[in-house]
Amino acid sequence: MYRFLLTPRWWCINVFVLLAIPFCVFMGSWQLSRFEDRVDSHRGATEQAASNQREAARPLAELLPVDKATVGKQTTATGTYGEQLLVPDRELDGRRGFYVLTLLRTFDGKALPVVRGWLPGAADPAKAPAPPSGEVTVTGALQASENPGEDGVSAAGGLPSGQTAAISAASLVNLVPYDVHDAWITLNRGDAGMRTVPVAATPDTGLDLKAFQNLGYTGEWFVFAGFVVFMWFRLLRREAEFARDAELGLVPDEEERVPSPSGT
């Protein structure tokens, strides 16, 4: 009854199944490993953030350029405050507000963007406290330059004078007459009664949409492997039933199943 398994058609089916199942299992396992890597990265980033808070602040020059190893580290810089800008449409605890960003002109000739704090409501220069005068030393968490379109970063243009959508050297170099460090810091304590801006998460280290896409793809590949097995058994059962019916004479001969040209 199972002699049909030796036919060329079934040889092709069997070879396809034997190749498809390991491939699906491999791809599902790979997607699962990608998800686990992101979970480990998220856990490591959380632990690193806690460790950064306990570490002593280091000079800015020792931590530049910013990368995954230095982002979030405590740093200190000395200089005098210069131009002040507002960063609109920034949320904190579910409320809309704006950052107060002041350029700290350091003694290396460049300026360091310093987020002194957050205020609720629409960006209004009259609400933003003036920066301290004279030489100041600031301490905060080192952050990487932002890119328009990232989480919480507006990509809209045409902002009023004195505002910037993204905190980055590429954006600020057109707004101030001096070079800007490709990094910024958020003060550990909000200045002049403003709320402290929390440290941003390190890029590509969180349980974001990509991580759960990997988990979804894992399920899809294993489901597809199961579907291949299910269809193989279904075809096998149907073919076996057809072969059994043919042996019992329950299936008409080929000549009887093909109608004649006259329809009789």
Side-chain angles (χ1 to χ4, degrees):
M1 185 172 61
Y2 291 97
R3 290 193 301 270
F4 62 84
L5 291 173
L6 301 177
T7 61
R9 172 172 170 266
W10 270 93
W11 269 108
C12 293
I13 293 175
N14 292 334
V15 170
F16 172 78
V17 171
L18 290 175
L19 294 177
I21 293 176
F23 178 77
C24 292
V25 171
F26 169 78
M27 292 300 298
S29 300
W30 181 75
Q31 290 289 351
L32 181 60
S33 68
R34 293 289 296 162
F35 174 74
E36 292 174 343
D37 288 343
R38 291 182 182 275
V39 171
D40 292 340
S41 179
H42 173 71
R43 185 182 299 112
T46 302
E47 295 173 352
Q48 183 64 41
S51 175
N52 290 338
Q53 290 294 327
R54 297 190 297 267
E55 291 182 2
R58 296 163 57 188
L60 179 66
E62 295 182 7
L63 300 176
L64 295 178
V66 182
D67 54 24
K68 288 186 178 181
T70 61
V71 67
K73 295 282 188 182
Q74 291 290 302
T75 187
T76 181
T78 300
T80 56
Y81 279 124
E83 281 79 356
Q84 183 159 283
L85 303 168
L86 306 182
V87 187
D89 300 325
R90 296 302 178 102
E91 288 189 2
L92 185 60
D93 295 335
R95 299 177 63 191
R96 181 72 65 178
F98 61 96
Y99 293 167
V100 176
L101 173 70
T102 311
L103 280 299
L104 180 71
R105 303 198 63 178
T106 57
F107 298 117
D108 62 0
K110 290 187 176 182
L112 174 66
V114 178
V115 174
R116 297 171 50 229
W118 176 91
L119 291 172
D124 184 354
K127 297 180 182 178
S133 59
E135 183 178 303
V136 295
T137 298
V138 298
T139 302
L142 186 65
Q143 301 283 266
S145 289
E146 298 178 332
N147 295 312
E150 289 181 342
D151 292 341
V153 181
S154 174
L159 293 176
S161 176
Q163 295 187 18
T164 180
I167 308 174
S168 68
S171 299
L172 297 174
V173 72
N174 298 317
L175 302 176
V176 296
Y178 36 77
D179 293 334
V180 179
H181 283 292
D182 192 19
W184 59 283
I185 69 169
T186 173
L187 295 183
N188 292 334
R189 292 184 180 180
D191 198 3
M194 294 183 287
R195 293 191 59 183
T196 303
V197 174
V199 179
T202 305
D204 299 325
T205 58
L207 293 178
D208 52 10
L209 180 60
K210 291 182 179 179
F212 291 102
Q213 282 180 339
N214 291 134
L215 189 60
Y217 294 150
T218 299
E220 289 180 1
W221 280 111
F222 284 121
V223 167
F224 188 66
F227 178 75
V228 171
V229 175
F230 168 76
M231 290 302 300
W232 184 84
F233 275 109
R234 183 176 180 182
L235 288 173
L236 178 68
R237 181 179 178 182
R238 188 179 68 176
E239 196 81 9
E241 289 176 349
F242 184 83
R244 184 180 63 246
D245 292 344
E247 290 181 356
L248 296 176
L250 299 178
V251 178
D253 295 337
E254 190 70 23
E255 294 181 357
E256 295 180 6
R257 286 190 292 151
V258 178
S260 64
S262 61
T264 57

